[in-house]
Amino acid sequence: MGWAIALHGGAGDIPLSLPPERRQPREETLRRCLQIGVEALKSKMAALDVVELVVRELENCPHFNAGRGSVLTNKGTVEMEASIMEGNMNCGAVSGLTTVVNAISLARLVMEKTPHIYLAFDGAEEFAKEQGVETVDSSHFITVENIERLKQAKEANRVQIDYTQPIQKTDAKKETPIANGDSQLGTVGCVAVDSHGNLASATSTGGLVNKMVGRIGDTPIIGAGTYANELCAVSATGKGESIIRGTAARDVAALMEFKGLSLEEAAKCVVEERTPKGTVGLVAVSAKGEIAMPYNTTGMFRACASEDGYSEIAIWPSGLN
Amino acid sequence: MGGWAIAVHGGAGVDPNLPPQRQEEAKQLLTRCLHLGISALRSNLPAIDVVELVVRELETDPLFNSGCGSALTEKGTVEMEASIMDGPKRRCGAVSGVTTVKNPISLARLVMDKSPHSYLAFDGAEQFARQQGVELVENEYFITPENVGMLKLAKEANAILFDYRIPTAGYETCGSGVESPLQMNGLPISVYAPETVGCVVVDGEGRCAAATSTGGLMNKMTGRIGDSPLIGAGTYACDLCGVSCTGEGEAIIRGTLAREVAAVMEYKGLGLQEAVDFVIKERLDEGMAGLIAVSKSGEVAYGFNCNGMFRGCATEDGFMEVGIWE
């Protein structure tokens, strides 16, 4: 037993050749966010508060695809979405945000301050104003890197995963590893179980590079990108469509409940048997304080720690980091 | 077993004082939709086409809460949503915040078939609709005088309202007159189920499909998304079965209700009816909802924990039933 926390910054075809200047800031952020989460849990903060806190930090970091640093739609704009869920099954979700600094916090407000679970687009922005949450001009979220990614995607005329290497103009035939245009990367998420055994999960994203305006992915969909109940808390990342049709987050819990699998077995099963290779990664914790961080992609930015002193920060399978 | 099967619904949670004339109209519509689906199945139309066809019919008819006849937002406008799922490869499509598209379920289908995504909403969905050349109408087309009246009642009761079809003359029997509103998400909001529509089908080849469409909750906040467009919540289909839910959207989302039926069949080996009963009994807590389901082996089942559900079902061996109450 005891507390445990796991967080991710996206699963996908993260090349082993990722240059240091793109790798270090992300690892540093994972380290910092893990630290923040661990300190919070040690001071008895509730799981729900912890996951929100950590995801806010990840959203504020421009190196991940959430909040600041969100990838851009085909119109060069930002549309952010997020969801949050507690072990008692309360949940909240938002989509289509353009000015709200912390989507995850708005999702929490939807859960706590409205009779609804999910608000989107203009309605969500109006609600944000009513609630007085921090909003900024949407240019705040746009980074030079993402403008470049969008440009590449448009040139290649597809929806792009955002860990792709820059496309070599001289070698137009060199395809990026997953070129079917429907992958989703760099979503951030955090799951935690606190010292009272309460569970919570939170996930946030800017979505897919060059996505159609109005496109909603798995991140705000309860049961797909985010899920928590009495047994476990799960946050998924990867190819949105695979996560939706595989109801990935819910399935981890369902396998535990209906087939009696352990957290690790259930998480592994979802990633290895129930979703196509190269599409999904997830982080999960159980009420007992166990942690699982499986992925069927090349890599997944991730970090975890538990009360017994274990901690890990990694991108690729162990041995390759 | 084997053979085709079809079920339709027009919403769970029905006022016990619903006038007989309304009950009759509802049953006639359900019957008509069943026949439409049955003809299609007999001419070997695949499940995915049948569910779309039937839900289009339900959307076009002003009786239930989808398409024309949709419940109104707090601003008096209509925002519709729908989702569709094709069992064999679990392909899916969904839309939300649709305001001018005559048949949201068909737009959801186009998202599935013609876009690189699974879910489009609001302006983006409307833009896609225009690109695809689907039939568009003014938002007013969907608004009925009855619903304008219902919205007014809801605002007076200052509650999210159960939107069964009670004429304003019947106010005293209407749910908004209930003294102590039930709780939803811990807040004192009346909790009743508007008449989302849906259809599930298994065709002669054993392929399952599901489709759900709605205008959502009466007096909802603009931008509110319910369970109907959420895969796994309001709609789900896989190799084993097809499921469409209706009722208290928030409870259906929390319970990932549609997926749950399939999950207990798959992971616990329950049969269709057992799975439906299990989910209704164990997964709803204080929430009120109903669902219809078909299995790949040609069975049909439904369940609800609230007061009535408009439904109809039929199987290839000649069974047919339309009902509202237990």
Side-chain angles (χ1 to χ4, degrees), chain A residues 75 89 114 116 118-121 123 126 182 212-216 241 245 247 250-251 257-258 274, chain B residues 75 90 116-121 124 127 185 187 222-225 250 254 256 259-260 266-267 283:
Chain A
K75 300 242 165 30
M89 315 286 281
T114 76
H116 303 318
Y118 191 3
L119 289 181
F121 293 89
E126 268 180 52
D182 202 30
M212 292 170 73
V213 161
R215 178 263 189 184
I216 293 178
E241 225 225 337
R245 63 152 76 112
T247 52
R250 170 68 189 120
D251 261 40
E257 183 176 353
F258 299 136
R274 307 209 41 96
Chain B
K75 297 205 162 85
R90 289 178 295 154
H117 303 318
S118 324
Y119 190 6
L120 290 180
Q127 281 174 39
N185 273 3
L187 297 171
T222 51
R224 178 262 189 182
I225 292 178
E250 281 70 17
R254 275 198 292 275
T256 52
R259 168 67 186 127
E260 211 65 358
E266 189 176 354
Y267 298 145
R283 283 292 174 252

Side-chain angles (χ1 to χ4, degrees), chain B residues 141 149 156 168 175 194 206 227 263 269 273 283 285:
Chain B
Y141 161 87
E156 280 163 14
T168 45
D227 65 293
Q273 187 69 59
R283 283 292 174 252
D285 297 329

Side-chain angles (χ1 to χ4, degrees), chain A residues 141-160:
Chain A
F141 304 102
I142 299 177
T143 60
V144 164
E145 265 189 16
N146 279 313
I147 293 174
E148 184 53 38
R149 283 194 186 105
L150 180 63
K151 187 154 160 288
Q152 286 175 16
K154 281 184 177 295
E155 278 164 14
N157 195 27
R158 62 187 158 79
V159 174
Q160 187 195 32

Side-chain angles (χ1 to χ4, degrees), chain B residues 227 232-234 245-258 284 289-290:
Chain B
D227 65 293
C245 304
T246 166
E248 210 183 31
E250 281 70 17
I252 295 169
I253 293 174
R254 275 198 292 275
T256 52
L257 224 63
L284 283 172

Side-chain angles (χ1 to χ4, degrees), chain A residues 84-92 110-111 114-118 221-223 226-229 250 253, chain B residues 183-187 191 226-227 230 232-234 248-260 282-288:
Chain A
I84 191 165
M85 191 162 185
E86 297 183 77
N88 63 8
M89 315 286 281
N90 280 342
C91 44
V110 173
M111 173 172 89
T114 76
H116 303 318
I117 282 179
Y118 191 3
I221 300 188
I222 298 297
T226 299
Y227 190 76
N229 66 6
R250 170 68 189 120
Chain B
Q183 298 277 321
M184 183 157 71
N185 273 3
L187 297 171
V191 175
D227 65 293
L230 301 188
E248 210 183 31
E250 281 70 17
I252 295 169
I253 293 174
R254 275 198 292 275
T256 52
L257 224 63
R259 168 67 186 127
E260 211 65 358
E282 305 290 338
R283 283 292 174 252
L284 283 172
D285 297 329
E286 306 96 39
M288 297 208 291

Side-chain angles (χ1 to χ4, degrees), chain B residues 36-249:
Chain B
L36 195 63
I38 292 169
S39 294
L41 283 162
R42 284 188 179 140
S43 48
N44 293 320
L45 207 62
I48 188 72
D49 293 326
V50 179
V51 297
E52 183 190 355
L53 182 68
V54 170
V55 171
R56 282 178 67 94
E57 186 68 24
L58 289 161
E59 284 171 339
T60 305
D61 193 294
L63 189 68
F64 292 130
N65 171 16
S66 67
C68 182
S70 279
L72 306 181
T73 68
E74 62 181 358
K75 297 205 162 85
T77 55
V78 161
E79 285 177 2
M80 300 167 290
E81 46 197 18
S83 63
I84 190 166
M85 191 159 186
D86 192 12
K89 294 202 174 90
R90 289 178 295 154
R91 297 183 314 128
C92 42
V95 290
S96 279
V98 166
T99 53
T100 67
V101 174
K102 189 152 179 269
N103 287 101
I105 196 64
S106 294
L107 190 65
R109 173 108 196 238
L110 287 168
V111 171
M112 176 172 84
D113 289 342
K114 297 275 167 70
S115 87
H117 303 318
S118 324
Y119 190 6
L120 290 180
F122 293 88
D123 288 351
E126 289 278 321
Q127 281 174 39
F128 178 66
R130 275 150 189 76
Q131 281 168 19
Q132 294 292 314
V134 302
E135 195 178 351
L136 303 172
V137 292
E138 295 289 318
N139 196 249
E140 285 72 32
Y141 161 87
F142 304 103
I143 301 175
T144 58
E146 266 187 23
N147 279 323
V148 172
M150 295 298 278
L151 181 63
K152 193 154 164 293
L153 290 183
K155 286 183 177 297
E156 280 163 14
N158 194 27
I160 306 273
L161 181 69
F162 177 17
D163 89 326
Y164 44 63
R165 300 288 178 251
I166 296 294
T168 45
Y171 176 65
E172 60 278 3
T173 60
C174 151
S176 64
V178 168
E179 288 302 289
S180 49
L182 298 179
Q183 298 277 321
M184 183 157 71
N185 273 3
L187 297 171
I189 304 288
S190 292
V191 175
Y192 295 96
E195 305 123 351
T196 295
V197 301
C199 179
V200 293
V201 162
V202 54
D203 60 27
E205 312 282 319
R207 295 173 294 210
C208 298
T212 314
S213 178
T214 191
L217 276 183
M218 185 65 75
N219 202 26
K220 64 182 178 178
M221 294 169 75
T222 51
R224 178 262 189 182
I225 292 178
D227 65 293
S228 299
L230 301 188
I231 296 298
T235 301
Y236 190 77
C238 60
D239 283 330
L240 289 180
C241 63
V243 185
S244 171
C245 304
T246 166
E248 210 183 31

